[in-house]
Amino acid sequence: MGDKTTINTLVEGGSASAGPPLGPELGPLPADVGEVVSAINEKTSEFDGMEVPVDVEVDEDTGDFTVEVGKPPVAQLIFDELGIDGGSGEPNMTKVADMDFETACKIARMKASDLLAMDLRGAVKEVIGSA
């Protein structure tokens, strides 16, 4: 096995393209850019409209690649669950939505493996802090 190059980036679910940020990083590598983009779009299709972390590992000798898709950031999950486009431009002045405790728990369970919290209570506090 040859050396491997890993590309870490955020892409919008289901709509990655050969343009930046993927294209310039994949260009000098022997992997087929079109195949990589197709694999990313296939694996991220369930996160349509959300930014998703993606890791692409390419073997520099053979051009073989693997695509690993992470979970969207907590903020994106909050926006999706609450049906909002973004946060408030004036924190503590203008509110854009109300998040109930059950929703915070749901998001905490979804992201539990990625959070630093030791238990569900701490994970919920992290989600509320992001809100």
Side-chain angles (χ1 to χ4, degrees):
M1 282 250 193
D3 292 332
K4 294 190 183 244
T5 300
T6 302
I7 300 168
N8 305 316
T9 187
L10 280 176
V11 297
E12 187 170 333
S15 62
S17 69
L22 288 173
E25 292 194 47
L26 288 171
L29 300 173
D32 182 8
V33 176
E35 287 181 24
V36 174
V37 169
S38 295
I40 290 171
N41 285 336
E42 182 180 317
K43 289 187 175 193
T44 61
S45 62
E46 64 191 48
F47 300 115
D48 188 33
M50 300 168 102
E51 287 197 344
V52 182
V54 175
D55 296 335
V56 179
E57 189 174 90
V58 179
D59 187 316
E60 293 181 12
D61 293 335
T62 64
D64 294 335
F65 65 90
T66 58
V67 176
E68 292 182 26
V69 177
K71 295 176 189 145
V74 172
Q76 285 293 321
L77 293 173
I78 291 170
F79 294 158
D80 188 50
E81 288 294 319
L82 299 180
I84 57 177
D85 294 328
S88 170
E90 300 171 321
N92 297 326
M93 300 292 286
T94 306
K95 307 296 182 198
V96 292
D98 288 323
M99 180 170 60
D100 59 13
F101 186 73
E102 289 78 25
T103 304
C105 288
K106 178 181 176 184
I107 294 169
R109 285 187 191 99
M110 290 164 66
K111 289 289 287 186
S113 62
D114 297 339
L115 299 176
L116 299 174
M118 301 296 282
D119 56 10
L120 181 61
R121 180 178 182 216
V124 171
K125 284 183 171 185
E126 283 190 49
V127 170
I128 292 171
S130 295

